Amino acid sequence: MTLPRLLEALPEARFWVEAGVGLGPAGKLVRAGFPSLASLAEASRDDLLAIPGVGIMTVELCERLLGRRLPSVIGDWQAQGFSGTAAAALAEAGIESVEALARLTEKEIAAFGLRNPDQQLCETLLGRRLQDPEPPAAPANV
């Protein structure tokens, strides 16, 4: 697609093109509901990377333009040590914190299809084995 054709179809893409985003990703951002920098206010890295045709270079450019890193649930889980597959599964299920993970049952966690290293990491983060239905009770004062 040429610049004149893009701007004829999506005039809002001009902002992105002038900011240095390629023609394809500029059009994809606009079509996905991000016509301006202000429209990224509530977006996450995961939101942008989920747009076909928008890659990490475009996301990083958006972050530079914003002057801040966009939040990423997947990135947060990976920073905790989870594999990319496990991090994406947790994020897709809306599990955004260790506290939310702790509220899940063993069966719910198993449904994510986590492999052994990720299962062990869950156990470490939760302080209990996954087959235990509840965290261990605090010892009673005698």
Side-chain angles (χ1 to χ4, degrees), residues 45-46 49 69-84 87-88 91:
R45 279 183 145 226
D46 307 329
L49 290 170
R69 183 173 154 85
L70 292 167
S72 171
V73 173
I74 293 172
D76 291 347
W77 283 121
Q78 287 179 306
Q80 292 273 359
F82 283 97
S83 68

Side-chain angles (χ1 to χ4, degrees), residues 82 90 100-114 118-119 122-123 126 128 130:
F82 283 97
L90 292 168
L101 184 65
R103 290 191 290 271
L104 299 178
T105 67
E106 173 196 359
K107 286 184 181 182
E108 290 169 328
I109 292 172
F112 296 126
L114 303 182
D118 293 312
Q119 291 173 347
C122 282
E123 291 176 344
L126 298 176
R128 63 177 167 94
L130 289 181

Side-chain angles (χ1 to χ4, degrees), residues 8 11 13 18 21 27 43-45 47 56 59 68 83 88 95 104 120-121 125 133 138:
E8 181 181 327
E18 289 177 354
V21 174
S44 71
R45 279 183 145 226
D47 295 334
I56 191 66
V59 173
R68 66 175 172 87
S83 68
I95 309 304
L104 299 178
Q120 289 174 341
L121 183 55
L125 290 172

Side-chain angles (χ1 to χ4, degrees), residues 20-44:
V21 174
L23 298 180
K28 304 284 184 177
L29 285 168
V30 171
R31 284 189 185 98
F34 302 106
S36 67
L37 204 54
S39 65
L40 295 178
E42 300 297 319
S44 71

Side-chain angles (χ1 to χ4, degrees), residues 1-25:
M1 178 173 282
T2 65
L3 180 59
R5 290 185 75 190
L6 174 65
L7 296 180
E8 181 181 327
L10 297 167
E12 303 93 339
R14 177 176 300 279
F15 168 78
W16 293 117
V17 172
E18 289 177 354
V21 174
L23 298 180

Side-chain angles (χ1 to χ4, degrees), residues 51-73:
I51 302 168
V54 173
I56 191 66
M57 289 175 56
T58 300
V59 173
E60 288 174 349
L61 177 57
C62 290
E63 290 174 330
R64 283 194 301 277
L65 293 168
L66 281 168
R68 66 175 172 87
R69 183 173 154 85
L70 292 167
S72 171
V73 173

